């Protein structure tokens, strides 16, 4: 990346490295081997995101629900996409949903064939998830067919990341409990690196993206045999 940028801009590699170091020190990027990636911006609160319906969120949720099968035990992480997924589960599909996302549990309130398990723990009122040691311990009680993992960033080198230090252990517990891990990813979180690492790309079984992924990330995921589904269009 650094060499390519130097050639494209007609400057020396040392100049590029110096500029990247300066941007890194200002907190505008995060330096990685061979270049840099954008820093994940602090996301809006759950309430703010829920008040802004997204076509991309709905499309990601609709795609992921198609992979659910009767009788499965499915884990849903925090975030508005998982709430949308819960709301879209067909009424004739018998499943067990385990979640640390109170809004996702509420979205299944009228589902006639879903067993819903809401994990206990401290409620983070900003992001509307249960977190902490109690939540982590409860994830260990389940063997999930599918775990849907929410992220703040996905990068070819760093992997899956989040802005919340409190959520790292909870998300790691969800991954460990899951046979298959599915990641819905919005375009503004692609090739972005948040401060706290959740998982390597080798732990992600399927990535569902609203838009085409950068070549570097696509190749890295394919190298780990992760399935990639791109919805495309104007999402």
């Amino acid at each position: 990346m650094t060499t390519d940028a130097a050639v494209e801009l007609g400057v020396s590699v040392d100049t590029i490295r110096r500029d990247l170091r300066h941007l890194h020190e200002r907190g505008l990027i995060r330096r990685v081997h061979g270049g840099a990636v954008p820093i994940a911006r602090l996301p809006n609160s759950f309430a703010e995101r829920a008040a802004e319906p997204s076509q991309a969120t709905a499309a990601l949720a609709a795609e992921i629900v198609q992979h659910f099968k009767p009788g499965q035990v499915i884990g849903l992480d925090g975030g508005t996409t998982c709430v949308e997924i819960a709301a879209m589960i067909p009424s004739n599909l018998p499943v067990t949903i385990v979640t640390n996302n109170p809004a996702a549990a509420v979205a299944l309130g009228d589902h006639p064939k879903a067993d819903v398990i809401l994990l206990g723990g401290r409620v983070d009122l900003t992001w509307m998830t249960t977190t902490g040691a109690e939540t982590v311990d409860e994830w260990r009680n389940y063997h999930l067919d599918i775990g849907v993992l929410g992220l703040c960033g996905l990068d070819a080198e760093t992997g899956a990341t989040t802005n919340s230090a409190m959520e790292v252990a909870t998300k790691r517990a969800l991954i460990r409990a899951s046979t298959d891990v599915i990641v819905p990813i919005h375009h503004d979180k692609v090739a972005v690196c948040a401060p706290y690492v959740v998982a390597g790309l080798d732990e992600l079984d399927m990535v569902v993206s609203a838009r085409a992924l950068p070549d570097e990330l696509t190749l890295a995921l394919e190298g780990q045999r992760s399935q990639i589904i791109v919805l495309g269009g104007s999402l």
Side-chain angles (χ1 to χ4, degrees):
M1 291 167 46
T2 303
T3 303
D4 293 342
V7 172
E8 183 176 347
L9 297 174
V11 298
S12 69
V13 172
D14 286 341
T15 297
I16 296 294
R17 288 173 176 164
R18 183 171 58 251
D19 290 345
L20 291 179
R21 184 165 56 250
H22 178 63
L23 292 170
H24 175 81
E25 291 170 351
R26 293 177 59 192
L28 300 176
I29 62 169
R30 180 173 178 178
R31 295 188 69 190
V32 297
H33 179 71
V37 294
I39 293 290
R41 67 178 180 83
L42 187 64
N44 296 331
S45 69
F46 177 88
E48 291 171 324
R49 285 178 287 143
E52 300 173 355
S54 164
Q55 181 184 0
T57 298
L60 289 169
E63 172 61 36
I64 289 172
V65 166
Q66 293 184 44
H67 298 273
F68 296 171
K69 298 177 182 178
Q72 286 187 324
V73 181
I74 297 163
L76 296 180
D77 196 7
T80 55
T81 302
C82 282
V83 176
E84 193 75 21
I85 288 170
M88 286 190 179
I89 295 174
S91 60
N92 63 346
L93 185 66
V95 290
T96 297
I97 300 296
V98 186
T99 184
N100 65 323
N101 185 334
V106 171
L108 285 158
D110 294 328
H111 196 292
K113 294 192 174 183
D115 289 328
V116 183
I117 300 169
L118 178 62
L119 302 184
R122 174 183 175 273
V123 179
D124 185 323
L125 296 177
T126 299
W127 312 123
M128 283 306 295
T129 57
T130 54
T131 62
E134 183 177 346
T135 312
V136 171
D137 285 343
E138 290 199 28
W139 273 127
R140 294 174 181 149
N141 294 328
Y142 300 96
H143 178 73
L144 307 172
D145 295 291
I146 293 173
V148 183
L149 179 68
L151 298 175
C152 296
L154 186 64
D155 171 63
E157 182 165 327
T158 309
T161 54
T162 180
N163 279 309
S164 172
M166 285 292 295
E167 287 189 324
V168 172
T170 308
K171 291 178 184 294
R172 292 291 308 156
L174 169 60
I175 292 170
R176 286 192 296 269
S178 303
T179 300
D180 291 316
V181 176
I182 298 179
V183 173
I185 194 79
H186 288 264
H187 67 91
D188 59 348
K189 299 178 181 179
V190 171
V192 168
C193 187
Y196 307 104
V197 179
V198 172
L201 298 183
D202 61 318
E203 298 176 90
L204 312 180
D205 298 286
M206 179 187 295
V207 173
V208 183
S209 175
R211 298 182 185 177
L213 300 174
D215 291 344
E216 184 181 17
L217 181 54
T218 297
L219 290 172
L221 286 166
E222 290 177 344
Q224 299 296 339
R225 301 185 182 277
S226 300
Q227 183 179 358
I228 304 170
I229 297 176
V230 177
L231 304 182
S234 58
L235 298 174

